[in-house]
Amino acid sequence: MSTSTSVLLLRLAGPLQSWGSAARFTRRTTENAPTKSGVLGLLAGAQGRAQDADLSDLAALEFGVRIDQPGTRLRDFQTAHHADSGKSMPLSERFYLTDAVFVAGVKGDARLINALYEALLEPVYLPYLGRRSCPPAEPITMREPLADADSLEQALREAEWQASHWYREHRRQEPKELELLLDCPPGQESDVTQRDLPLSFDPRHRHYALRGIRNGSVALPDLPQPSPHDPTTLLQPAAPRTT
């Protein structure tokens, strides 16, 4: 008996985002797009799952991202003190993406997808974009889950462009093509691999497996041309001069 599937699309937009997959010690980097581990962590937090909870159902979801607005990389320096000894910790580098916008999607069992959607409407733990210091600027849910969608890739291709108005205007004269990053199907050769498939979020032993990623792109339709702007249209005609 076949199981019905659904696709859930997420809008990930905020002043700051940070999606690390190889961040260690004093250098905390970010990928150019949301990681599967970061997005699944967001969903697990919305459901209120414990850090040592089983993640196998979430890890089995198909995952993909569309880069609607790539943002700009920002480097920050942070200091901290040990909670017990009060001693200064080593200076750390932290990297962020500023003014970025992504559309992420997960596909899987319809009951699980619907449960995740409901959790995002009333999250147990507030969602954040990779780090707790990175709250979303807009609602994460874009619409109700897409029941019996043909594919996650098609759903990402057809989703409305979520970029900011100023960025759309900036891109008006440039080729409008968005990058797609999709889970590589089993048995196919991936374009790149990334260690961001979560097996455990337990802080005592976080564990991630390698995930194959294939690259794609989607062309956007031409944007409508702006209406010509005449700043004099609201001016009242001057009264005729009398002599």
Side-chain angles (χ1 to χ4, degrees):
M1 183 176 65
S2 61
T3 302
S4 62
T5 60
S6 294
V7 169
L8 178 60
L9 296 179
L10 312 172
R11 180 196 300 106
L12 304 176
L16 292 175
Q17 304 188 40
S18 188
W19 306 97
S21 66
R24 295 290 185 272
F25 308 111
T26 60
R27 184 176 173 85
R28 303 300 179 92
T29 59
T30 179
E31 300 296 332
N32 293 329
T35 59
K36 187 170 186 175
S37 59
V39 173
L40 295 187
L42 181 155
L43 296 172
Q47 286 191 308
R49 297 196 187 195
Q51 290 181 308
D52 58 355
D54 180 25
L55 299 175
S56 57
D57 58 340
L58 296 181
L61 294 173
E62 184 182 352
F63 176 71
V65 175
R66 192 183 73 189
I67 302 177
D68 282 25
Q69 184 173 323
T72 304
R73 191 173 295 268
L74 170 72
R75 181 172 66 169
D76 186 29
F77 295 95
Q78 294 189 14
T79 60
H81 290 80
H82 195 281
D84 296 326
S85 66
K87 293 183 177 180
S88 296
M89 305 293 287
L91 182 69
S92 65
E93 284 183 289
R94 311 233 171 177
F95 292 83
Y96 300 88
L97 300 175
T98 65
D99 293 326
V101 182
F102 306 98
V103 175
V106 289
K107 179 182 178 182
D109 178 77
R111 291 172 297 179
L112 174 58
I113 293 295
N114 288 331
L116 294 173
Y117 173 72
E118 294 293 335
L120 286 171
L121 297 180
E122 297 184 21
V124 176
Y125 300 110
L126 292 178
Y128 51 86
L129 307 180
R131 291 196 188 133
R132 291 185 178 88
S133 60
C134 304
E138 300 183 40
I140 287 179
T141 53
M142 295 174 56
R143 52 159 298 166
E144 294 183 354
L146 301 166
D148 298 317
D150 291 337
S151 73
L152 173 59
E153 180 176 354
Q154 190 64 25
L156 288 171
R157 288 182 176 276
E158 295 176 353
E160 183 179 351
W161 194 18
Q162 300 297 311
S164 305
H165 176 74
W166 68 265
Y167 184 75
R168 293 174 185 236
E169 292 300 314
H170 174 70
R171 288 286 301 272
R172 183 176 294 279
Q173 303 301 328
E174 300 178 14
K176 288 168 279 294
E177 192 172 77
L178 305 180
E179 185 178 358
L180 293 173
L181 302 172
L182 305 160
D183 276 349
C184 185
Q188 294 188 17
E189 184 176 355
S190 62
D191 295 310
V192 67
T193 57
Q194 193 166 287
R195 190 171 293 279
D196 74 333
L197 180 62
L199 303 178
S200 173
F201 286 139
D202 189 335
R204 297 167 297 181
H205 183 62
R206 291 188 177 92
H207 190 39
Y208 305 90
L210 288 172
R211 175 175 69 97
I213 301 172
R214 60 187 178 93
N215 299 323
S217 63
V218 54
L220 289 169
D222 290 334
L223 294 175
Q225 292 298 318
S227 302
H229 175 60
D230 183 357
T232 67
T233 55
L234 299 179
L235 296 177
Q236 296 297 322
R241 300 180 64 180
T242 59
T243 57

